[in-house]
Amino acid sequence: MESTVVDPDMEELFNLFLEQESEPWDSREPDTDPTVCIAGNPEDCPRILSEKQPFHFQIRDTSHKSFYLQDNILVATNLQGDNAAVEEKVTVVPNRHLERKRCPLILGVQGGSKGLSCGNDGQPQLQLEDVQLLNLFHQEKEAKCFTFYKTYNGSTHSFEAAAYPGWFLCTSTQVNKPISLTMQLGQSAITDFYFQRK
């Protein structure tokens, strides 16, 4: 499934992270340790990441259900009025190790402090892990299970797990059910989403 429409938000995101790379490690200040920046907090390497911040998006399925956290599980429901304040925005950074034209995005919530992982045990299972998305940007192997190929058809978007081809991010047709993964497109699960930058 290939994107048929140019997504200007994604062009901007990939240009920011990939075409304005900081200078090579060997030309940086002597006290700038790349391993600290990769394994530690983004704050440990402000020269490198200060201008590169994740993008944040409001995501809703085609039934207009929003994402929110319930006991550290990401679920989808219709949020209105005061409840709208608990809606989770999806945070994204590009995966620079995968094919750019497929729009590989590392997805998270909570401002990028929790990643949406498909797991790596052979059977895909969506779960939240405490990671920093900006750190995953530097990690090829670790980032793949948090990466989804985004396809845009001009009105809705779909998200295919990079580590599990054919598995897509989905919501249930019922409310208050966990966000999960499915191979059954267009059947009992919703795999098309409205995805608007915030």
Side-chain angles (χ1 to χ4, degrees):
M1 187 185 305
E2 290 202 11
S3 176
T4 57
V5 181
V6 173
D7 184 339
D9 287 330
M10 294 300 103
E11 291 289 325
E12 183 180 346
L13 176 71
F14 278 79
N15 288 342
L16 173 66
F17 276 84
L18 303 182
E19 293 182 3
Q20 299 174 7
E21 290 284 355
S22 299
E23 69 272 21
W25 286 112
D26 55 12
S27 66
R28 294 193 178 131
E29 295 172 4
D31 61 350
T32 303
D33 180 358
T35 59
V36 171
C37 297
I38 293 172
N41 293 320
E43 292 79 15
D44 293 333
C45 44
R47 272 188 77 227
I48 301 159
L49 293 175
S50 60
E51 77 283 6
K52 298 181 181 181
Q53 294 301 317
F55 285 12
H56 305 281
F57 289 80
Q58 178 185 69
I59 187 168
R60 295 188 177 165
D61 67 18
T62 51
S63 293
H64 300 283
K65 294 193 298 296
S66 305
F67 290 11
Y68 79 103
L69 277 177
Q70 185 179 64
D71 300 323
N72 206 39
I73 296 172
L74 202 58
V75 300
T77 196
N78 298 109
L79 296 172
Q80 298 177 345
D82 293 341
N83 291 332
V86 301
E87 179 179 355
E88 279 293 334
K89 304 295 187 292
V90 171
T91 302
V92 306
V93 298
N95 185 321
R96 65 179 179 169
H97 303 286
L98 298 175
E99 189 177 4
R100 177 174 173 170
K101 72 177 185 180
R102 296 194 65 191
C103 199
L105 299 178
I106 302 169
L107 300 185
V109 293
Q110 295 282 287
S113 64
K114 290 182 181 290
L116 272 69
S117 170
C118 299
N120 51 17
D121 296 329
Q123 180 67 25
Q125 181 175 355
L126 195 69
Q127 55 198 7
L128 290 178
E129 294 188 23
D130 291 326
V131 294
Q132 292 291 334
L133 265 61
L134 285 174
N135 293 345
L136 287 173
F137 174 73
H138 295 282
Q139 301 176 6
E140 180 174 3
K141 184 177 179 182
E142 294 84 350
K144 190 170 184 180
C145 68
F146 295 93
T147 301
F148 294 80
Y149 293 119
K150 186 181 79 64
T151 301
Y152 177 44
N153 67 16
S155 59
T156 59
H157 308 252
S158 60
F159 299 86
E160 181 181 13
Y164 297 96
W167 288 85
F168 288 81
L169 193 68
C170 71
T171 59
S172 169
T173 55
Q174 302 176 43
V175 297
N176 293 314
K177 298 294 183 183
I179 313 301
S180 60
L181 297 165
T182 186
M183 293 186 80
Q184 309 299 321
L185 299 183
Q187 297 185 22
S188 59
I190 300 171
T191 57
D192 291 323
F193 297 91
Y194 301 111
F195 196 59
Q196 182 178 8
R197 188 175 173 189
K198 290 298 181 181

